[in-house]
Amino acid sequence: MGLLTDPSSSNKLIDMLISKYRLLSWVSYLCGFLGLFIMVHPEYSAKTYFSENALLPGLVHGEILAEGEAKRIYNELQEEKNQYSNSVPFPYIEAKFKQAGLEVYRHNFTLHYPLSDKIPSFKGQNIYAILRASRASSTESLVMSVPYRHTYSYDGGTQGSLALLITMASFFRKKNFWAKDIIFLVTENEQLGMQAWLEAYHKTSCGVKGTLDHGELPARAGAIQAAINLEISGEHVTHLNIKTEGLNGQLPNLDLVNLVNRLCLREDVRQMFQGYEDRAQLYSSKGYIRSLKTFLSMMLKQSSGVPSGNHGLFHRFGIEALTIEGIVKEIKTKKKSYHQRKAGFHSLGRIVEGVFRSLNNLLERFHQSIFLLFTSFI
């Protein structure tokens, strides 16, 4: 039986495509490049939205009124900073956690330098407290973490976020609506301390065997569902910058990002993404350029594979996490420069409370929404 089609016609098409491959390749590259600029326009980029209804922050009514306590703790930390100029004030933090009625533990780890035997081993320590859920068994948990930094650090100090963490721990302890354990974690030496704690928590090793001795944890909580890392240096901020990039370009679930964004809007705190403020004039030329910068910045950071904060180490363990960074930004004009309206511990506390109470409503792991994306605004 003969063929129903003439094979010579398809061969001609293939031969033509092969002969024009160079031109077609350049046209494809150009279309893809122009497509990036088109995607940035708000007409082709949807605003972020919730896929998980249980996370809706409108279901949560903030109750915290602890700005005075947070300021007092912040001032005490300034005094402790002078006494512990090159270390973490563990005794003070431990005393505050115990005063709040929490289980407090210390975690020791050791780093063996892998490239030379002449450099001695480096030892570090973390401290964490556990608030056990009063309405459920210890099967699930949430993490609030702070990397301790001194004020002379390149990235600035974190005394503000530590004061907020201790205040939130005391406030959370007084409430009985928690269905998940909450872990309050203070790490030493940035991502090294966080990596050691995560490896010890999950009883695994992620790097070259023998390099990082993660040690053992005296106690654990439930399986970690989500984590929020705080990086706030002072008492007041003008903006909150959301950091999402994790190890090897991994990102948290978009619903978690949307949750923080909505709570910032509710508390009238200006938010930033990729270091750029989300302005209202999206359809203007300035708005388009800002969206393009945000889009390209996110692509660059993801392609680097380097985490933008301690939250990035949670992703490899299947834990959704992000960092909330406090920014103090000045507006510069031709005549003078001045600070924008500032948010204090009261607004910051209500945002953190809203995040954890919304996460407390989750009945299952994050599985809806988007896990990998490039966005130009939130």
Side-chain angles (χ1 to χ4, degrees):
M1 182 177 179
L3 295 174
L4 298 178
T5 57
D6 185 6
S8 61
S9 60
S10 60
N11 291 336
K12 291 179 180 179
L13 177 61
I14 294 174
D15 292 339
M16 184 191 69
L17 293 176
I18 293 175
S19 63
K20 303 290 185 180
Y21 79 94
R22 192 182 299 275
L23 176 62
L24 292 174
S25 298
W26 280 106
V27 171
S28 299
Y29 292 146
L30 182 61
C31 291
F33 186 72
L34 294 176
L36 293 177
F37 290 89
I38 296 174
M39 290 169 57
V40 174
H41 196 276
E43 283 290 340
Y44 304 98
S45 299
K47 268 280 190 181
T48 53
Y49 57 90
F50 281 101
S51 297
E52 179 56 71
N53 291 332
L55 277 176
L56 290 177
L59 300 174
V60 176
H61 176 68
E63 299 180 9
I64 186 169
L65 295 170
E67 185 172 10
E69 181 182 357
K71 287 184 177 180
R72 179 177 56 82
I73 295 175
Y74 177 78
N75 293 330
E76 292 176 356
L77 284 171
Q78 297 301 315
E79 298 177 0
E80 293 290 330
K81 177 188 66 176
N82 299 328
Q83 184 177 356
Y84 297 88
S85 57
N86 296 317
S87 60
V88 183
F90 286 120
Y92 174 82
I93 299 172
E94 184 175 5
K96 284 296 181 181
F97 282 151
K98 288 183 177 180
Q99 185 179 352
L102 303 175
E103 302 177 19
V104 188
Y105 306 97
R106 295 199 190 189
H107 165 236
N108 299 307
F109 61 91
T110 304
L111 174 67
H112 303 285
Y113 193 68
L115 302 180
S116 175
D117 296 333
K118 298 180 180 180
I119 300 178
S121 300
F122 174 82
K123 295 184 178 181
Q125 191 175 67
N126 302 319
I127 186 170
Y128 65 101
I130 301 177
L131 170 61
R132 300 291 180 182
S134 58
R135 301 182 61 183
S137 58
S138 296
T139 56
E140 296 179 346
S141 64
L142 306 172
V143 174
M144 184 189 305
S145 67
V146 170
Y148 187 84
R149 299 190 197 123
H150 290 279
T151 52
Y152 54 77
S153 172
Y154 175 79
D155 295 320
T158 55
Q159 282 73 25
S161 53
L162 182 55
L164 183 61
L165 179 140
I166 295 174
T167 304
M168 300 307 297
S170 178
F171 171 75
F172 286 176
R173 178 65 178 83
K174 301 173 184 177
K175 302 301 177 181
N176 60 356
F177 44 62
W178 299 111
K180 294 178 173 61
D181 296 342
I182 301 179
I183 303 172
F184 302 94
L185 172 64
V186 181
T187 60
E188 187 180 15
N189 299 304
E190 297 291 335
Q191 296 180 11
L192 178 61
M194 179 61 75
Q195 180 65 29
W197 188 86
L198 285 170
E199 289 185 8
Y201 194 91
H202 294 91
K203 295 184 178 180
T204 186
S205 181
C206 300
V208 179
K209 189 175 181 180
T211 301
L212 179 60
D213 181 8
H214 54 70
E216 296 292 335
L217 294 183
R220 289 177 175 79
I224 302 174
Q225 305 295 304
I228 301 296
N229 185 54
L230 302 176
E231 295 182 1
I232 303 169
S233 59
E235 298 181 61
H236 300 91
V237 300
T238 58
H239 297 75
L240 288 180
N241 183 37
I242 302 175
K243 296 181 178 180
T244 58
E245 293 79 19
L247 193 65
N248 296 326
Q250 287 184 280
L251 297 174
N253 189 278
L254 185 59
D255 276 344
L256 184 59
V257 181
N258 298 340
L259 174 63
V260 178
N261 177 45
R262 295 294 178 87
L263 287 168
C264 288
L265 291 174
R266 191 179 73 177
E267 299 301 328
D268 196 22
V269 178
R270 292 176 177 268
Q271 68 270 23
M272 303 175 73
F273 189 64
Q274 301 297 325
Y276 298 100
E277 185 177 357
D278 192 6
R279 300 183 183 275
Q281 299 83 6
L282 292 176
Y283 290 89
S284 64
S285 58
K286 291 184 178 180
Y288 176 82
I289 293 175
R290 185 209 58 81
S291 298
L292 180 61
K293 289 181 179 179
T294 304
F295 187 83
L296 296 177
S297 175
M298 189 172 188
M299 291 184 63
L300 181 62
K301 289 182 179 179
Q302 283 186 254
S303 62
S304 69
V306 179
S308 56
N310 282 7
H311 69 278
L313 301 176
F314 283 87
H315 298 160
R316 63 162 51 174
F317 296 95
I319 302 168
E320 309 307 319
L322 55 78
T323 291
I324 301 177
E325 179 187 22
I327 302 292
V328 179
K329 187 178 180 181
E330 291 185 351
I331 298 179
K332 295 183 179 180
T333 62
K334 294 181 179 179
K335 295 183 179 180
K336 62 178 181 178
S337 62
Y338 57 92
H339 290 288
Q340 298 185 9
R341 191 184 70 84
K342 296 181 179 180
F345 283 127
H346 176 69
S347 298
L348 298 176
R350 286 175 63 89
I351 291 173
V352 175
E353 178 195 0
V355 170
F356 276 82
R357 290 185 62 181
S358 297
L359 293 173
N360 187 57
N361 294 333
L362 279 179
L363 300 178
E364 53 193 350
R365 282 185 174 273
F366 285 93
H367 64 281
Q368 300 190 67
S369 193
I370 303 169
F371 286 89
L372 179 62
L373 74 151
F374 297 110
T375 183
S376 56
F377 52 83
I378 56 175

